[in-house]
Amino acid sequence: MRTVVSIGGSVLVPDVDPERVESYADVIESLDADGHTLGTVVGGGPTAREYITTARDLGANEIELDQLGIAVTRLNARLLVAALDERAAPTPPEDYETGGEAIRRGDVPVMGGVVAGQTTDTVGTAFAEYVDADLVVFATNVPGVYDADPDSDPDATKYDEITASELATLVAQTGVDAGSNAPVDLLAAKLVERSGIRALVLDGTDPAAVERAIRTGEHDGTTVVPADANGPPAEWNDE
Ligand code: UTP
């Protein structure tokens, strides 16, 4: 099975510390050893936010801030490359073609950001589309997709399952404001809808939960089901 895992920066590198990165590398190595084909994308997390806030105060424009964010995602990606040792492509691919080539070689690509004006959710989904993945997993710092903002609405309910078009509508309604708690950004949601790829949105703070989701389809987050789904991947029935 071919899976792209988009790991939020706040999940992989909440602090610049080896522990979480090491546990993610162990999960990736174990899946890889069992024949899973993997692509990974890493976000910028608190370090990116710190740089962006500081550069904004210094007068940088929004595109310059995005470039700074991309640079940090690639720095974070290099931490995962370091932990994966020779299994990873040595440099974070800067475009989908280079990432796809790494997969064809049998390496695990670890991408960061690609172009200004988006987030790594979009990179993960576009890369999944480019390499014709069976699954895209968003390992985030929230438990899944909610019908309202769980931070401000005590009645917010998590979806176990949602269709891709429902997700796109939901994110369009709630997720465009700065600082919104949408678990994926709007362009990523639209690409999930377009691609027809099954997506999982789940809490990535426990890498073992991400491994279980990829191996078996079992998780406590939200499954985003494509419109013309043929049912879950056959591999999940064998587990
Ligand atoms: P992230 O995708 O990490 O943003 O990229 P995020 O939503 O803060 O996610 P977490 O906290 O890692 O989970 C960090 C910043 O890098 C720029 C954007 O400015 C983004 O906010 N970026 C990232 C791009 O401009 N293009 C990309 O392809 C990726």
Side-chain angles (χ1 to χ4, degrees):
M1 195 163 106
R2 183 168 281 204
T3 303
V4 171
V5 191
S6 176
I7 312 169
S10 40
V11 165
L12 187 74
V13 197
D15 316 291
V16 183
D17 175 276
E19 216 167 288
R20 184 69 65 75
V21 182
E22 196 65 69
S23 347
Y24 259 102
D26 290 346
V27 161
I28 291 163
E29 280 166 350
S30 155
L31 288 165
D32 175 65
D34 289 341
H36 287 258
T37 303
L38 292 167
T40 58
V41 181
V42 173
T47 311
R49 264 190 293 282
E50 226 174 298
Y51 270 83
I52 288 171
T53 308
T54 304
R56 185 176 278 126
D57 289 347
L58 293 168
N61 66 45
E62 292 299 313
I63 297 293
E64 288 172 323
L65 298 179
D66 283 342
Q67 301 292 11
L68 207 51
I70 292 170
V72 176
T73 62
R74 290 179 182 156
L75 267 186
N76 286 342
R78 280 185 184 273
L79 287 179
L80 187 55
V81 168
L84 284 168
D85 204 10
E86 83 268 12
R87 285 307 303 118
T91 310
E94 297 191 0
D95 55 53
Y96 303 116
E97 289 85 347
T98 313
E101 277 162 19
I103 287 188
R104 276 200 291 281
R105 272 199 315 273
D107 287 344
V108 178
V110 186
M111 296 187 70
V114 170
V115 289
Q118 59 180 40
T119 74
T120 48
D121 295 338
T122 296
V123 178
T125 319
F127 191 37
E129 203 172 21
Y130 183 75
V131 300
D132 201 15
D134 305 291
L135 181 70
V136 57
V137 178
F138 299 102
T140 71
N141 57 4
V142 292
V145 181
Y146 285 76
D147 60 359
D149 182 351
D151 284 343
S152 56
D153 185 346
D155 295 328
T157 309
K158 180 165 67 64
Y159 294 96
D160 291 333
E161 228 176 73
I162 188 170
T163 67
S165 55
E166 283 167 348
L167 175 69
T169 306
L170 188 76
V171 175
Q173 281 164 357
T174 63
V176 287
D177 301 337
S180 99
N181 272 350
V184 297
D185 68 53
L186 181 57
L187 183 53
K190 295 300 287 180
L191 289 182
V192 168
E193 185 183 13
R194 175 179 87 173
S195 68
I197 298 172
R198 183 173 290 262
L200 310 180
V201 180
L202 48 83
D203 183 349
T205 49
D206 177 12
V210 176
E211 177 172 9
R212 183 171 67 115
I214 294 171
R215 284 187 186 277
T216 68
E218 284 168 31
H219 62 92
D220 298 324
T222 300
T223 300
V224 185
V225 188
D228 52 356
N230 298 320
E235 287 86 343
W236 287 350
N237 300 324
D238 303 335
E239 293 291 331

